[in-house]
Amino acid sequence: MLRIQFSDYEALREHGRQTYPHECCGVLLGRSVDGVNEVEEIVEAGNTRTDSAHNRYNIAPVELIRIQRQARAKSLDIVGFYHSHPDHPAQWSATDIAEAHWLGCSYVITKVADGKPDVTNSFLLRGTGEEDKFFEDEPIEILVAVGASK
Amino acid sequence: MTNKNNKKNYWRDMTIHIPTPLRTYTNGLDSIPVTAGTVGDALQELVTAYPGLKGNLFAADGKLRSFVNVYLNEEDIRYLSEKEATPTTPTDELTIIPSIAGGCR
């Protein structure tokens, strides 16, 4: 399961709107507890695939290292990633599974239809390695802070 | 007897940072101290201490898997002139970072 604050959930969907018609991408920081990836913070990242940003994304390793360092300073881990599918379903693609290597992490995908965030789904990358990895549909629990304004 | 402080004086400790998915193979540790003189030695010491990492880091031909990035501080070791033979110092940090990519088609 992926557990995320409503504000972070909305922020990652909003990121998809901002970058439309290009794919957005970012990192989910938090903790993995008893099989639940709990998100404490999301970090927007740049999409380096400027050659094909409408249907591809890539986060520069050096940016990931910076984000990982930032996480470590807060005693957080990288627990997942998010990206958008402009005018495509919020389902993982052949490219997504081929290029997914963070076993145990959540991969969140938002369909952005005509510039508006639509369906958001999460997929947990499972398996023991490249040979047997697979995506599993993952429920998203969205937390609303008590006293938060509507 | 050698204590940790003495070891610091005589060995060249450096740190390798382990990404979340590979901590399964390091007993949950997120960083591993190793004693090594080069990047390649450091990686070899790492997989010797934690053999489960080997298949996840290296292909059958012994080269790093294409999606595994290894950075010496802020630099990708693939672009260092001496690559894995690059000398290291105790203050250096190696970071293993699998790539993040994908797309809707």
Side-chain angles (χ1 to χ4, degrees):
Chain A
M1 176 186 287
L2 178 73
R3 186 172 290 148
I4 186 169
Q5 293 288 337
F6 178 74
S7 56
D8 287 333
Y9 178 77
E10 281 300 293
L12 67 85
R13 286 164 53 80
E14 170 65 14
H15 192 195
R17 190 192 65 76
Q18 290 170 358
T19 62
Y20 182 88
H22 296 159
E23 295 198 8
C24 72
C25 49
V27 184
L28 310 177
L29 305 183
R31 296 180 181 86
S32 188
V33 181
D34 297 331
V36 178
N37 284 332
E38 299 182 342
V39 179
E40 296 281 337
E41 182 179 339
I42 71 166
V43 182
E44 293 185 2
N47 181 359
T48 66
R49 286 299 302 270
T50 52
D51 58 318
S52 191
H54 64 291
N55 61 11
R56 289 284 190 279
Y57 79 95
N58 180 77
I59 302 177
V62 73
E63 184 169 20
L64 274 176
I65 289 172
R66 179 184 57 75
I67 294 170
Q68 186 166 264
R69 191 176 295 141
Q70 174 185 332
R72 199 182 309 130
K74 298 177 179 178
S75 298
L76 300 176
D77 285 324
I78 292 175
V79 296
F81 307 93
Y82 71 86
H83 72 283
S84 61
H85 281 182
D87 298 317
H88 276 268
Q91 295 293 324
W92 56 269
S93 67
T95 303
D96 285 328
I97 186 68
E99 307 217 23
H101 308 294
W102 288 65
L103 299 167
C105 284
S106 299
Y107 284 73
V108 175
I109 301 174
T110 298
K111 175 183 180 181
V112 182
D114 292 327
K116 295 177 183 173
D118 190 358
V119 177
T120 295
N121 290 320
S122 185
F123 305 95
L124 180 66
L125 186 64
R126 296 192 57 193
T128 61
E130 288 301 298
E131 292 71 24
D132 67 351
K133 67 183 180 181
F134 63 99
F135 274 131
E136 180 178 83
D137 292 359
E138 180 179 50
I140 303 176
E141 182 181 357
I142 301 169
L143 304 176
V144 180
V146 175
S149 58
K150 293 180 180 177
Chain B
M1 181 179 289
T2 303
N3 64 30
K4 190 174 180 182
N5 289 335
N6 285 337
K7 187 181 174 189
K8 276 282 182 190
N9 291 335
Y10 294 104
W11 293 80
R12 304 176 68 189
D13 284 9
M14 59 178 294
T15 300
I16 302 182
H17 294 293
I18 309 296
T20 324
L22 296 184
R23 292 177 199 162
T24 302
Y25 305 102
T26 60
N27 302 324
L29 296 173
D30 61 2
S31 61
I32 308 291
V34 298
T35 55
T38 67
V39 169
D41 288 347
L43 292 173
Q44 285 306 316
E45 180 167 335
L46 178 68
V47 298
T48 298
Y50 300 96
L53 285 172
K54 189 170 184 180
N56 286 279
L57 297 180
F58 297 101
D61 63 3
K63 293 182 179 174
L64 279 173
R65 285 179 177 256
S66 59
F67 60 85
V68 175
N69 303 293
V70 178
Y71 274 65
L72 176 61
N73 303 316
E74 305 289 330
E75 296 191 73
D76 187 335
I77 65 166
R78 291 189 178 96
Y79 300 110
L80 295 173
S81 59
E82 296 181 83
K83 303 188 185 304
E84 292 187 26
T86 303
T88 57
T89 69
T91 57
D92 282 335
E93 295 186 348
L94 270 186
T95 302
I96 298 169
I97 200 98
S99 62
I100 301 296
C104 60
R105 286 185 186 172

